[in-house]
Amino acid sequence: MEPKIIQGGNFSDHRGTISYVNDFSFRDIERFYIISNSDANPVRAWQGHKLDAKNFYCLSGSFKIHFVKIDNWEQPSKDLVIETVFASASDSKIIHIPAGYANAIESLESDSKLISFSTLPLSDVSEDDVRYDSNYWKIND
């Protein structure tokens, strides 16, 4: 499976605004997190998942979601292509990153919040989570 964007939309009237992503299914979701990076450390990098798929939705502010397809879990190539998707609270979409990728989450504004929906039960996370040094792949070169 490849990463993809599941586009939603917004509806506004005199009562306010509703943001939605109607084509997203919660069928395989096991848990979720809300991520808010500090201003001092706006990049949370690199976390890989052999089994867990991630789905990101921006609640406030804006982010860049960076990701690489892992070629070797023990010693991945430092030349992997980094893909990047921009997410903001005004653009209602979910960024789906399937299992087999590592990701980095970069806040672009103070107080930005990102919700992450995960497909793997918490009991299985220790076998899945692979972390790499934050500079293993350079996102700001």
Side-chain angles (χ1 to χ4, degrees):
M1 185 172 229
E2 295 293 319
K4 67 180 177 181
I5 304 237
I6 306 166
Q7 190 63 52
N10 299 299
F11 172 79
S12 297
D13 64 13
H14 67 281
R15 299 168 293 176
T17 301
I18 295 174
S19 298
Y20 57 87
V21 184
N22 291 337
D23 292 331
F24 179 69
S25 172
F26 284 88
R27 179 180 47 244
D28 297 324
I29 301 303
E30 292 283 336
R31 58 199 163 81
F32 75 91
Y33 298 94
I34 296 175
I35 300 164
S36 182
N37 293 340
S38 70
D39 289 342
N41 295 294
V43 178
R44 183 180 300 259
W46 286 93
Q47 187 170 357
H49 300 281
K50 298 175 185 177
L51 307 170
D52 193 8
K54 296 293 184 183
N55 298 280
F56 298 110
Y57 182 86
C58 184
L59 296 170
S60 63
S62 60
F63 290 86
K64 284 184 181 175
I65 310 298
H66 309 279
F67 49 94
V68 294
K69 178 140 180 69
I70 300 299
D71 59 348
N72 177 318
W73 288 101
E74 286 72 40
Q75 192 170 18
S77 170
K78 292 199 174 213
D79 296 326
L80 296 178
V81 174
I82 299 170
E83 297 182 66
T84 301
V85 175
F86 175 77
S88 74
S90 63
D91 183 18
S92 187
K93 66 184 172 191
I94 289 182
I95 299 145
H96 172 78
I97 310 294
Y101 284 77
N103 65 67
I105 299 163
E106 180 180 6
S107 301
L108 301 177
E109 303 172 46
S110 293
D111 300 319
S112 293
K113 290 188 184 340
L114 188 75
I115 191 165
S116 172
F117 299 103
S118 298
T119 60
L120 195 65
L122 192 57
S123 59
D124 298 337
V125 167
S126 64
E127 300 169 24
D128 178 63
D129 192 36
V130 181
R131 297 190 185 238
Y132 302 101
D133 183 85
S134 61
N135 291 315
Y136 198 87
W137 296 282
K138 303 241 188 272
I139 59 174
N140 291 320
D141 279 352

